[in-house]
Amino acid sequence: MAQVEATTERVVAADPETVFDAIADYSGTRGKLLPEQFSEYEVREGGDGEGTLVHWKLQATSKRVRDCLLEVSEPTDGELVEKDRNSSMVTTWRVTPAGEGRSRVVVTTAWQGAGGIGGFFERTFAPKGLGRIYDAILARLATEVEKPA
């Protein structure tokens, strides 16, 4: 089994604190950022960053639905880590300054992929599909945080 990884990034016209707070706001903003591939979104514990337990189903392809129960931690400033209790999947969100009033958001998801031919297809296609999903989330994030105050 090989590790599969997908990374997407975007520069957002808002300060890092505002961007990070939006990403970490599971009880409010986060649910609004999710595209149609996500369903059954539910905050089960907490709701703001560290200590949150959140559930959703991610339909990555027409045949593949992943039931996710994610524990949220904040190991360092500007970093949010979501560990899936139901699989090896870990998603890390990093928000760093990118110039005056701008932030770079990098989201990386990694998991232990399948072996054999199925694993080959997973390693080949899953990162591209997940990249498109995260592009949509980051576009919605930009729309949310770049709103005039």
Side-chain angles (χ1 to χ4, degrees), residues 83-144:
K83 290 186 180 171
D84 187 7
R85 288 185 178 174
N86 298 332
S87 74
S88 62
M89 188 171 73
V90 177
T91 299
T92 304
W93 297 82
R94 285 186 185 84
V95 180
T96 55
E100 188 65 37
R102 296 168 69 80
S103 306
R104 178 178 313 300
V105 183
V106 179
V107 56
T108 302
T109 297
W111 67 94
Q112 288 300 315
I117 192 71
F120 168 78
F121 284 106
E122 184 179 23
R123 287 187 304 279
T124 302
F125 297 108
K128 291 179 180 87
L130 206 49
R132 283 191 294 275
I133 292 169
Y134 284 124
D135 276 342
I137 292 172
L138 293 176
R140 290 175 182 206
L141 173 67
T143 300
E144 187 69 26

Side-chain angles (χ1 to χ4, degrees), residues 7-27:
T7 300
T8 305
E9 70 176 77
R10 183 182 185 112
V11 174
V12 177
D15 67 87
E17 188 174 325
T18 299
V19 174
F20 186 83
D21 288 350
I23 294 168
D25 180 16
Y26 291 88
S27 59

